[in-house]
Amino acid sequence: IGSSMKSIGEVMSIGRNFEEAFQKALRMVDDTVLGFDPYHYKGNNEELKEPTDKRPFVLAAALKANYSIDELHSLTKIDKWFLNKMLNIVQFYTLMEKTGNILTGQQILEAKRMGFSDKQIAQAINSTELAVRKQRQELGIIPFVKQIDTVAGEWPASTNYLYITYNAAENDIVFPGGFTIVVGSGVYRIGSSVEFDWCAVGCLRELRNLGKSTIMINCNPETVSTDYDMCDRLYFEEISFEVVMD
């Protein structure tokens, strides 16, 4: 404990498997990060021992460099279940790198189900985010909207905590249209936090006063804008071109 503020940059990432939720969370915390990226930060064995905000990327680089799960477990003390899930991501990334710059529809679907963003796929196959997006849409690979059950299945949930996923077969809600999207401010940073959320909240309230239906997209669970009753539909999602356009 010192004078520096450490509880900053909290996100809530929701997916239907660990790989999806983990990669989403890494992008939410820092928009310069593509996901569990083995090329983002190299590091060394000492950095594997210390839990820091850089360690996930040191882990990704180590898995890409063929460190074994046992080696990484002894260095990090991270449960092997998580390490194996991280290995799944790196192995699929390597597979995409080897395919040249064209992926099959099945490969794109598999990548999306493991939480890869269009931009991340594009990096692996030397393409562009827009080219990947165009191919994905032409193949009809689009995310589904699911609702978070906040009552543990005791009775039908009607809250508007929503997220998007590729690990689904149908949407939980209908889309009547006529909504206005307000894009939230994402993670807090020291020196820029509450005032940005207040902008989003002020906007939502004014739209409601004007009789308009509202959608909030934000990934920060600490904010007022992500209170369930602030808007008509709340998406706990990444604030990125891909997600907002979807």
Side-chain angles (χ1 to χ4, degrees):
I1 296 174
S3 59
S4 71
M5 198 169 168
K6 296 188 177 80
S7 63
I8 204 80
E10 182 186 343
V11 297
M12 184 158 93
S13 166
I14 304 148
R16 294 195 137 198
N17 58 38
F18 176 79
E19 294 90 338
E20 182 181 35
F22 183 51
Q23 296 223 80
K24 271 186 173 183
L26 290 170
R27 289 191 292 269
M28 287 172 173
V29 171
D30 183 346
D31 56 17
T32 65
V33 168
L34 295 179
F36 191 58
D37 183 356
Y39 302 115
H40 185 75
Y41 184 79
K42 281 285 183 281
N44 55 43
N45 283 6
E46 286 307 308
E47 289 183 272
L48 283 169
K49 292 176 186 173
E50 290 296 319
T52 67
D53 57 337
K54 295 282 186 289
R55 187 161 74 160
F57 307 110
V58 184
L59 263 168
L63 286 164
K64 188 87 168 104
N66 295 317
Y67 277 58
S68 72
I69 296 295
D70 289 335
E71 276 179 283
L72 289 172
H73 175 67
S74 68
L75 283 164
T76 63
K77 302 296 183 273
I78 293 172
D79 191 288
K80 289 178 186 178
W81 186 89
F82 293 105
L83 293 173
N84 276 299
K85 295 290 185 183
M86 293 175 195
L87 179 61
N88 290 346
I89 297 170
V90 173
Q91 284 176 335
F92 196 82
Y93 188 92
T94 305
L95 175 78
M96 287 195 293
E97 285 180 313
K98 289 175 180 169
T99 58
N101 57 2
I102 295 291
L103 295 179
T104 65
Q106 188 54 43
Q107 285 171 326
I108 291 177
L109 181 59
E110 186 68 21
K112 299 309 286 183
R113 286 180 168 170
M114 291 180 78
F116 284 92
S117 68
D118 289 348
K119 193 184 274 188
Q120 197 178 2
I121 295 168
Q123 177 185 272
I125 63 172
N126 288 321
S127 184
T128 65
E129 179 180 12
L130 289 175
V132 172
R133 180 178 179 81
K134 185 167 181 283
Q135 186 192 0
R136 175 168 70 74
Q137 289 180 321
E138 283 169 356
L139 291 165
I141 299 168
I142 54 170
F144 293 96
V145 176
K146 303 306 275 183
Q147 196 169 39
I148 301 168
D149 180 4
T150 54
V151 288
E154 289 178 40
W155 59 83
S158 57
T159 54
N160 63 358
Y161 291 108
L162 307 170
Y163 65 100
I164 63 174
T165 180
Y166 289 83
N167 292 292
E170 60 181 7
N171 293 302
D172 283 354
I173 55 170
V174 293
F175 306 102
F179 285 81
T180 303
I181 291 178
V182 178
V183 179
S185 52
V187 289
Y188 284 171
R189 292 281 181 254
I190 293 167
S192 66
S193 53
V194 180
E195 62 275 25
F196 285 105
D197 195 54
W198 178 244
C199 298
V201 171
C203 186
L204 286 170
R205 285 181 176 169
E206 193 54 40
L207 285 164
R208 188 169 269 184
N209 290 341
L210 294 169
K212 299 202 180 289
S213 299
T214 54
I215 290 172
M216 164 56 60
I217 305 173
N218 207 355
C219 54
N220 187 340
E222 283 188 289
T223 61
V224 178
S225 65
T226 48
D227 285 356
Y228 70 93
D229 55 355
M230 280 307 305
C231 54
D232 296 292
R233 288 190 173 174
L234 168 61
Y235 286 84
F236 262 106
E237 268 305 328
E238 299 170 56
I239 298 167
S240 66
F241 168 77
E242 178 185 335
V243 170
V244 172
M245 294 310 288
D246 280 339

